[in-house]
Amino acid sequence: MSLIRLHIAYCGTNYHGWQIQPVDTTLEGVLTAAVTKILGAKEPVKVQGASRTDAGVHAWGQVAHVRHETTRTVWDFVRGLNALTPKDITVNFAEEIDDGFHARHSARGKIYRYQVWNHRHNHPFMNHLTWQVGPMQLNVEAMRQASRAMIGEMDFAAFRAGDCECDTTVRTIHRIDFLEEGPLISIEVEGTAFLKYMVRIIVGTLVEVGAGRLPIEQVATALASGKRVDAGPTAPPGGLSLMHVIYPKHPWDPKIGVGGPTGV
């Protein structure tokens, strides 16, 4: 029995999220169908992802694993999956991994990036990759100051979706960084784990601060109260990308390129 780890990039615009569903097209569903065909299996072969990205959310560094008992090589998976899936999904490389590995449970953290297009006019090439916020000029320094209240281990109850069913809302954020490239503002959030819509609510709150509609202190107020109403709106999904899943002693870091030992 072999365990294969897949490193996957995708544009999530045309998918109803990662997790497989009975009717809607999902990334897990498309990849499961492709893996099942590659292995010639009579029953669907589960593709276990590290993160259940929401509808419309993208990934540069999604990780998944597949368990199988065939003579297929890692290159068979890279070549076959890229041939059998649409062009908005790419398997960058595959590798055999120790049997104890689990794409989701073995993860020690994730890095997400949210992109905001802060310009009076929308950009046609940014439609599905950014939140185009319109004519207001965001105060990025105010956003940066507000974000500092969220660094560390704390209760993020105010920064989760109403239907989030996690047992605990305590999470650890290691960093929130801002990169400005002209009107493009990239907000990178690294943490151990995230609640449903957590990154998007963080970004929505920070944009309200940057636009002057919320004070810098509002982030601390929301954290203290735990009330969703005290945080800002949920940012649209299209600006969010899963950049990297962190594992202990990982031999290859997807942040440095799209190739790999058996990559494309």
Side-chain angles (χ1 to χ4, degrees):
M1 184 67 70
S2 297
L3 192 65
I4 302 295
R5 176 160 59 188
L6 306 171
H7 293 257
I8 309 163
Y10 52 79
C11 175
T13 302
N14 296 324
Y15 301 93
H16 203 76
W18 171 268
Q19 193 170 10
I20 199 164
Q21 297 187 22
V23 177
D24 296 310
T25 302
T26 69
L27 290 143
E28 184 184 10
V30 170
L31 287 163
T32 293
V35 167
T36 302
K37 186 171 183 178
I38 290 170
L39 297 177
K42 295 180 180 179
E43 299 293 332
V45 179
K46 183 174 179 58
V47 179
Q48 174 64 58
S51 177
R52 298 174 180 175
T53 51
D54 301 316
V57 174
H58 318 295
W60 289 66
Q62 173 70 286
V63 177
H65 75 254
V66 175
R67 192 178 301 276
H68 73 101
E69 190 172 8
T70 69
T71 58
R72 292 293 187 182
T73 67
V74 290
W75 178 243
D76 289 332
F77 282 96
V78 173
R79 181 180 57 185
L81 286 171
N82 286 328
L84 294 171
T85 56
K87 292 183 178 180
D88 51 11
I89 301 174
T90 295
V91 175
N92 290 318
F93 77 93
E95 58 187 332
E96 289 194 17
I97 193 71
D98 294 340
D99 188 59
F101 174 81
H102 191 284
R104 183 179 178 190
H105 300 317
S106 298
R108 294 296 176 265
K110 298 183 181 75
I111 299 173
Y112 285 92
R113 180 180 296 165
Y114 197 100
Q115 296 190 124
V116 176
W117 183 254
N118 184 209
H119 194 278
R120 177 177 298 276
H121 304 295
N122 288 351
H123 195 297
F125 298 147
M126 296 288 182
N127 283 335
H128 302 302
L129 299 175
T130 64
W131 180 11
Q132 306 202 28
V133 297
M136 85 283 281
Q137 189 63 38
L138 297 179
N139 183 339
V140 178
E141 181 54 35
M143 296 167 68
R144 185 178 286 110
Q145 291 181 36
S147 72
R148 291 171 186 155
M150 292 183 276
I151 305 302
E153 182 182 81
M154 60 195 71
D155 192 338
F156 283 90
F159 294 84
R160 64 168 175 166
D163 60 349
C164 179
E165 298 178 348
C166 289
D167 294 333
T168 175
T169 53
V170 174
R171 295 290 187 271
T172 300
I173 297 295
H174 295 302
R175 64 181 177 90
I176 301 178
D177 292 335
F178 295 79
L179 175 64
E180 295 181 79
E181 299 175 285
L184 181 64
I185 303 169
S186 298
I187 305 170
E188 197 161 274
V189 184
E190 178 179 346
T192 54
F194 296 90
L195 302 164
K196 186 176 182 179
Y197 295 173
M198 180 173 159
V199 176
R200 290 165 57 192
I201 296 171
I202 286 173
V203 171
T205 304
L206 294 177
V207 165
E208 290 293 289
V209 171
R213 292 189 288 265
L214 287 178
I216 292 173
E217 299 76 19
Q218 188 64 32
V219 170
T221 298
L223 288 167
S225 73
K227 297 178 180 178
R228 177 67 185 88
V229 68
D230 287 334
T234 304
L240 184 62
S241 295
L242 172 64
M243 301 303 296
H244 182 51
V245 182
I246 301 168
Y247 296 101
K249 299 181 181 179
H250 197 297
W252 180 77
D253 187 347
K255 291 185 291 183
I256 66 172
V258 298
T262 55
V264 292

